[in-house]
Amino acid sequence: MDRNAILVVGSANMDMVVVAEKFPQPGETLFGRQFNMYPGGKGANQAVCAAKLGGETHFIGRMGNDLFRERLVQNMASDGVVMDHLLIDEQEPTGIALITVDGGGENEIIVISGSNMKLSPADVESRLALFNRVGVVLAQLEIPLETVARTAELAAAAGACFILNPAPACKLPVKLLQRVDFLTPNRLELELLAGMSILDDIESVRCAAQRLLDQGVGNVLVTLGERGSLWVTPGEARLFAARRVQAVDTTAAGDAFNGAFAFALSRGETVPQAIHFANRVAAFSVTRMGAQSSMPTAADIEEWV
Ligand code: RIB
């Protein structure tokens, strides 16, 4: 292993996905079009994305001792993720997510965390040696906040770049924010983190991102769906346009962005190059159903016209 490797510390879920013409109203019953189970979870999706693109990717997570774990591990391993550091929980079941996708490819998600929320700071410390051997560490917020905070400390101590995808969003302690090299919220997550409403213009997004920079974040990279992504650093904001596509399922588009961005950085790409690449991978992912099943290989991306 060299320091081109990536470490993802995060969740894994089995996604139960229903596709329907539209989202039901409260109290409404609708007929759906199809149902399927797909491997998911923000941590696992981002790890699979980086691995499928060709990155040496290690995953630290906690799953239950059940059939979903077997299926998730099998899928992640066959996509190339190194699963040697997985922990197994004898009490809690593997996480699941209930997802509805509407006719336009938009999604609504409810997560039942199960074993993901049992991933402790001690679990991560028990895999300490890994931190000194990777260049990029990537985490999300589907595991306990104290575990994310410890991950950030270990990444900083090891001199690795730390990317935090703050999803699902919650208020973050300043001490954690100060250890984040790249924070990658979407618009809604940024509103919550910055504590302000964001209007439909880029200047408003920049102002909110600036609040996080003021608290010590190194770079804020806001994912804006079909508009692309905005890279905000002290004194500068740059918009990277996204490619227009016909969306089939937007689930895990943010995960594709994060996994691809981490992969590109680990390969020594510059930040603008990494953002262009991540935008492209995220756009590709929404043209396919499912989370991990929608992640492209490097060849898929090269061939994609
Ligand atoms: O980001 C998409 C993911 O969010 C899904 O795979 C689901 O499991 C939830 O974690």
Side-chain angles (χ1 to χ4, degrees), residues 51-232:
K52 278 176 94 169
L53 290 169
E56 182 187 321
T57 310
H58 298 254
F59 179 74
I60 300 179
R62 196 176 255 280
M63 298 189 205
N65 197 1
D66 49 32
L67 286 174
F68 285 163
R69 184 200 83 238
E70 285 173 21
R71 171 117 185 252
L72 293 176
V73 170
Q74 189 190 34
N75 194 71
M76 291 178 76
S78 71
D79 280 335
V81 180
V82 182
M83 297 299 289
D84 301 351
H85 308 285
L86 181 74
L87 295 115
I88 298 178
D89 199 290
E90 295 297 336
Q91 266 84 46
E92 292 291 329
T94 300
I96 62 147
L98 298 180
I99 303 182
T100 308
V101 177
D102 78 0
E106 290 301 327
N107 64 78
E108 285 182 345
I109 304 179
I110 296 180
V111 172
I112 303 291
S113 298
S115 52
N116 292 310
M117 279 296 170
K118 296 287 172 189
L119 185 72
S120 67
D123 289 338
V124 178
E125 278 157 23
S126 72
R127 272 68 177 153
L128 189 62
L130 251 185
F131 285 80
N132 293 315
R133 292 151 68 200
V134 301
V136 177
V137 176
L138 176 56
Q140 316 74 29
L141 297 177
E142 284 186 332
I143 56 173
L145 195 51
E146 61 267 27
T147 306
V148 175
R150 189 67 186 127
T151 300
E153 281 169 13
L154 296 178
C161 170
F162 181 60
I163 305 171
L164 179 60
N165 175 222
C170 65
K171 280 278 180 196
L172 298 175
V174 174
K175 224 172 146 190
L176 169 58
L177 290 173
Q178 287 169 345
R179 295 211 164 89
V180 177
D181 296 303
F182 292 91
L183 188 73
T184 58
N186 65 20
R187 191 169 166 278
L188 283 178
E189 290 153 1
L190 178 61
E191 281 194 329
L192 191 146
L193 291 166
M196 63 177 269
S197 349
I198 298 174
L199 305 174
D200 204 27
D201 61 307
I202 293 300
E203 178 53 17
S204 179
V205 179
R206 192 200 63 74
C207 275
Q210 183 62 49
R211 288 195 178 185
L212 297 164
L213 295 176
D214 292 344
Q215 292 180 71
V217 173
N219 299 254
V220 181
L221 246 179
V222 191
T223 52
L224 296 168
E226 58 188 25
R227 290 172 81 178
S229 37
L230 187 74
W231 178 30
V232 189

Side-chain angles (χ1 to χ4, degrees), residues 23-47:
F23 297 121
Q25 302 290 313
E28 187 182 18
T29 302
L30 292 177
F31 288 108
R33 273 199 232 140
Q34 51 165 295
F35 167 78
N36 243 310
M37 291 200 299
Y38 296 98
K42 295 184 195 304
N45 297 344
Q46 294 176 22

Side-chain angles (χ1 to χ4, degrees), residues 269-301:
E269 304 278 331
T270 64
V271 175
Q273 284 169 336
I275 298 173
H276 275 303
F277 181 69
N279 269 351
R280 193 168 164 80
V281 171
F284 182 97
S285 77
V286 307
T287 65
R288 289 189 184 174
M289 274 304 294
Q292 290 163 35
S293 50
S294 70
M295 302 302 173
T297 61
D300 288 332
I301 287 295

